[in-house]
Structures are given as C-alpha cells and as structure tokens.
Amino acid sequence: MVDIETARQIALSLPGTIEQDHFGKPAFKAKRIFSTLWIPERRMMVTLSPVDQSVFHSFDPTIFYPVPNKWGLKGATFVELDNVREGMLRDALTLAWEKGK
C-alpha cells in the first residue's frame, strides 16, 4: 500500500519534476505530464508505453490497468495505490518519467 503523500514524493523525486494542476488533479511533469494523482479514488495514472503497460498489467490486472478511454490504448495506466508495492510504483513512475522527459 502506498499513501497519497508517498506517491507524490516518489513522483517529485524524479529529476526535473514539478507538480501542477491538470483539470483539478495534481499532475507531475518533466517536459510533459507523466502522471496524475486521483486523490478521492486513491489511484495514480502513469503514462507508459503500450508494451510497458502490458507488462505491468500482466503482473496484476487489479493493480495496473489501462485507463478506459483512448488514452488507455496509448499507454495511460491506472495504478491502485491501496494495493501496489512502493517499489513497483517507483518502477512505473520512473518509466513514465523517462517517456515524458
């Protein structure tokens, strides 16, 4: 389990990352937004490649799954914070950050 503040701190620990508002949600950006926090839902969206998304999804589809819209087809992935291990969230955020820098 990862709490909201820990998820925020992991994202902000990535070099050059800033936090900004994105349609009412905290968003984390290097050159592009690579993650958003969905606080009431206790989940995080990370922007992965479709291949990385499928790898995380195959690990546990109840923790990592595509956002149910066109962005999900392009790699936007929800992460359930109540069930994810901190190391796995850090790995997903690092891949998303690499893609967004």
Side-chain angles (χ1 to χ4, degrees):
M1 177 181 161
V2 176
D3 62 42
I4 296 294
E5 191 53 35
T6 300
R8 173 181 274 119
Q9 291 307 315
I10 294 169
L12 289 172
S13 73
L14 297 165
T17 297
I18 61 167
E19 182 175 343
Q20 67 181 40
D21 180 76
H22 182 70
F23 298 101
K25 293 180 177 29
F28 304 95
K29 172 182 176 178
K31 286 187 180 173
R32 288 181 273 167
I33 292 173
F34 64 87
S35 182
T36 55
L37 261 175
W38 295 53
I39 294 172
E41 296 86 353
R42 298 203 36 78
R43 72 173 61 124
M44 197 166 208
M45 186 286 302
V46 294
T47 306
L48 301 172
S49 71
V51 170
D52 289 334
Q53 180 188 66
S54 70
V55 170
F56 279 96
H57 181 72
S58 67
F59 170 74
D60 189 332
T62 66
I63 297 173
F64 296 94
Y65 53 94
V67 171
N69 60 28
K70 69 177 182 174
W71 296 108
L73 298 174
K74 297 179 180 187
T77 306
F78 278 142
V79 182
E80 293 296 327
L81 296 177
D82 285 340
N83 300 317
V84 71
R85 291 191 321 245
E86 187 174 326
M88 292 211 61
L89 178 61
R90 186 176 303 280
D91 290 346
L93 278 166
T94 300
L95 286 170
W97 171 81
E98 283 284 339
K99 188 175 183 286
K101 67 176 189 170

